[in-house]
Amino acid sequence: MSCKVENLEKNMAKLTIEVSAEEFEAALEKAYQKNKNKISVQGFRKGKAPRNIIEKMYGAGVFYEDAANEVMPEAYEKAAKESGLDIVSRPEIDVVQIEKGQPFIFTAEVAVKPEVELGEYKGIEVEKKEIEVTEEEITAELDKVREQNSRMVTIDGRAVENGDIAVIDYEGFCDGVPFEGGKAEGHSLEIGSHSFIDTFEEQLIGKNIGDETEVHVTFPTEYHAAELAGKPAMFKVKINEIKVKELPELDDDFAQDVSEFDTLDEYKADVKATLTANKEKAAKSEKEDAVIAKIVENAKMEIPQPMIDNTVRQMAEEFAQRIQSQGLSLDQYFKFTGMNANSFMENLKPQALKRIQSRLVLEAVVKAENIAATEEELGKEMENMAQMYQMELDKLKELVGEEEREMMLQDIAVQKAIDLVTDAAVEK
């Protein structure tokens, strides 16, 4: 195998890869052995027809595609390594020559990692954020905990009011016909939560236990079930129970029940400390983002489009994995949001570009400042990962290969670069 490298514009390169005639002949033979049992030739039992007979009958190129697919991955991998290029995209393959008895030649067009010309990256000016936690925020946090520790109390003697939990049976009809998913029994509905369509909840206010009523609504025009979108519907509803949420009193007993503290004042002080820490963390992250954005603005680099496309695919895969862990498929997400694969990928492009630019300038800072991760820092990172994944540290180390190890070292160095430029920033 031989390879020629041609540098193109906009950080692109073309590899012209030549596989010897002998190697390609071996691939053709392998393709013949793989496929001969699938090919019928008159006068021969299946799988027994000689290769030259099959090629004469179906054409000389009958095995070309399989042979090419056999040799290209390994040949490209070797060529990419030998080229010394820092390739950051999938290859665009084009076959130049494919012929029996001749070398197999193909090209692979790839994006190459761009060079970054750093501008100013120390002393970046950013807006100073004042950290303050108000009494209203503390009260709101306490109210959340009260909600989490509330209990439901069934009441009698009055009609449904806003904020109540109405336990209902219902069945929906569109054009007088019941529709799929429109029926339930013993459903608990919080009045005023707007979890049901249109004015469904409001129409239950004033109804009493045992009442049977009709609720008239209109489905949203962008409703996920297309057959119902924009259509009027009628629900037959029966009120079975009315419940109210009873919140615990905000006192020392409450503090003792929900925390490690004896008094409400101590608990409130801890809540304030937690909110302050969260705000400080958010402010630090916001500051980092602002500094990096300014460094990107000050730098010069040319990002090849295939690099962006590659990052978009990675981000899409990451997103799909996240929602799958929550029990939702990408197709379902598209259905609920009204998006399709193309619009989804298009929306990711600005984020992908930002991710690429941020990483490139930070790697350039690492290089400019001779930043390196230590073995001690790597060990600490592995300890954190082991705790996160609830694994034994030695087991994790066995699973981490050399490539993953190098990536971890690089990530640690990049984080050190983030700390360096953020600490050097000037808040005004």
Side-chain angles (χ1 to χ4, degrees), residues 115-186:
E115 290 291 328
V116 176
E117 184 183 331
L118 282 173
E120 183 183 22
Y121 63 90
K122 289 181 180 178
I124 299 295
E125 290 187 1
V126 292
E127 183 183 350
K128 187 175 182 179
K129 295 288 184 181
E130 298 295 336
I131 307 298
E132 180 187 4
V133 175
T134 65
E135 281 298 319
E136 289 78 11
E137 289 171 320
I138 296 171
T139 299
E141 193 64 27
L142 292 172
D143 285 343
K144 286 181 188 176
V145 181
R146 291 175 73 201
E147 284 279 347
Q148 294 165 3
N149 288 272
S150 63
R151 64 190 187 98
M152 301 308 300
V153 179
T154 302
I155 62 168
D156 294 309
R158 71 162 174 80
V160 174
E161 296 178 359
N162 195 44
D164 288 348
I165 306 294
V167 182
I168 60 174
D169 299 337
Y170 65 83
E171 184 173 14
F173 299 82
C174 191
D175 297 327
V177 180
F179 54 84
E180 185 179 354
K183 184 176 182 179
E185 294 181 356

Side-chain angles (χ1 to χ4, degrees), residues 11-216:
N11 291 304
M12 298 293 293
K14 181 187 285 187
L15 309 180
T16 301
I17 303 163
E18 182 176 313
V19 178
S20 70
E22 291 77 16
E23 285 182 83
F24 189 61
E25 170 57 31
L28 283 170
E29 180 62 23
K30 191 170 184 178
Y32 160 67
Q33 295 296 338
K34 175 184 173 183
N35 292 286
K36 65 180 182 179
N37 291 327
K38 305 172 188 174
I39 300 173
S40 297
V41 176
Q42 190 173 359
F44 294 92
R45 283 185 297 148
K46 212 167 191 179
K48 298 298 182 181
R51 179 178 145 195
N52 64 328
I53 298 295
I54 294 173
E55 289 175 335
K56 186 176 291 187
M57 184 173 180
Y58 290 96
V62 64
F63 299 120
Y64 282 0
E65 184 176 351
D66 280 350
N69 290 335
E70 173 69 26
V71 297
M72 279 195 294
E74 185 177 352
Y76 168 73
E77 187 177 342
K78 286 181 179 178
K81 190 173 182 180
E82 289 177 11
S83 72
L85 299 175
D86 195 345
I87 295 171
V88 290
S89 73
R90 296 178 180 178
E92 288 290 331
I93 301 295
D94 186 30
V95 174
V96 177
Q97 176 175 290
I98 183 167
E99 186 179 345
K100 186 178 179 181
Q102 296 295 321
F104 171 57
I105 304 172
F106 67 100
T107 61
E109 196 166 311
V110 295
V112 180
K113 188 175 181 178
E115 290 291 328
V116 176
E117 184 183 331
L118 282 173
E120 183 183 22
Y121 63 90
K122 289 181 180 178
I124 299 295
E125 290 187 1
V126 292
E127 183 183 350
K128 187 175 182 179
K129 295 288 184 181
E130 298 295 336
I131 307 298
E132 180 187 4
V133 175
T134 65
E135 281 298 319
E136 289 78 11
E137 289 171 320
I138 296 171
T139 299
E141 193 64 27
L142 292 172
D143 285 343
K144 286 181 188 176
V145 181
R146 291 175 73 201
E147 284 279 347
Q148 294 165 3
N149 288 272
S150 63
R151 64 190 187 98
M152 301 308 300
V153 179
T154 302
I155 62 168
D156 294 309
R158 71 162 174 80
V160 174
E161 296 178 359
N162 195 44
D164 288 348
I165 306 294
V167 182
I168 60 174
D169 299 337
Y170 65 83
E171 184 173 14
F173 299 82
C174 191
D175 297 327
V177 180
F179 54 84
E180 185 179 354
K183 184 176 182 179
E185 294 181 356
H187 180 80
S188 293
L189 175 63
E190 183 177 350
I191 308 302
S193 66
H194 303 293
S195 55
F196 266 37
I197 60 168
D198 204 6
T199 59
F200 188 102
E201 296 164 25
E202 289 89 332
Q203 294 179 57
L204 299 185
I205 293 175
K207 301 298 186 290
N208 291 286
I209 296 172
D211 283 357
E212 296 184 10
T213 187
E214 292 185 357
V215 172
H216 295 269

Side-chain angles (χ1 to χ4, degrees), residues 140-351:
E141 193 64 27
L142 292 172
D143 285 343
K144 286 181 188 176
V145 181
R146 291 175 73 201
E147 284 279 347
Q148 294 165 3
N149 288 272
S150 63
R151 64 190 187 98
M152 301 308 300
V153 179
T154 302
I155 62 168
D156 294 309
R158 71 162 174 80
V160 174
E161 296 178 359
N162 195 44
D164 288 348
I165 306 294
V167 182
I168 60 174
D169 299 337
Y170 65 83
E171 184 173 14
F173 299 82
C174 191
D175 297 327
V177 180
F179 54 84
E180 185 179 354
K183 184 176 182 179
E185 294 181 356
H187 180 80
S188 293
L189 175 63
E190 183 177 350
I191 308 302
S193 66
H194 303 293
S195 55
F196 266 37
I197 60 168
D198 204 6
T199 59
F200 188 102
E201 296 164 25
E202 289 89 332
Q203 294 179 57
L204 299 185
I205 293 175
K207 301 298 186 290
N208 291 286
I209 296 172
D211 283 357
E212 296 184 10
T213 187
E214 292 185 357
V215 172
H216 295 269
V217 295
T218 301
F219 283 98
T221 54
E222 295 185 359
Y223 193 64
H224 63 83
E227 67 276 10
L228 299 174
K231 290 189 175 182
M234 184 273 287
F235 284 83
K236 292 182 178 179
V237 182
K238 181 183 178 183
I239 310 295
N240 296 321
E241 291 181 86
I242 302 172
K243 296 181 177 182
V244 293
K245 195 179 291 183
E246 189 176 85
L247 301 179
E249 291 292 327
L250 202 56
D251 53 21
D252 290 346
D253 288 338
F254 169 73
Q256 291 166 17
D257 288 339
V258 301
S259 74
E260 60 187 31
F261 301 102
D262 293 327
T263 67
L264 181 60
D265 287 342
E266 290 175 316
Y267 178 47
K268 286 176 70 174
D270 182 68
V271 169
K272 183 176 182 178
T274 300
L275 291 174
T276 301
N278 290 341
K279 284 195 171 189
E280 288 173 346
K281 184 178 180 181
K284 182 176 183 291
S285 179
E286 191 176 331
K287 181 181 177 182
E288 288 175 356
D289 290 344
V291 171
I292 294 168
K294 189 64 179 175
I295 296 172
V296 168
E297 185 182 325
N298 293 341
K300 291 180 182 178
M301 62 190 118
E302 189 171 24
I303 312 298
Q305 187 60 46
M307 186 179 187
I308 298 173
D309 296 338
N310 199 50
T311 303
V312 166
R313 281 191 291 269
Q314 291 174 356
M315 293 173 70
E317 289 169 4
E318 290 166 6
F319 180 81
Q321 289 172 357
R322 284 200 303 274
I323 64 172
Q324 282 171 7
S325 68
Q326 299 165 9
L328 190 68
S329 71
L330 205 53
D331 285 341
Q332 289 171 319
Y333 174 79
F334 290 157
K335 188 175 181 181
F336 293 145
T337 59
M339 299 178 76
N340 57 38
N342 288 335
S343 60
F344 175 67
M345 301 289 264
E346 196 65 31
N347 286 345
L348 287 177
K349 284 184 178 179
Q351 299 174 48

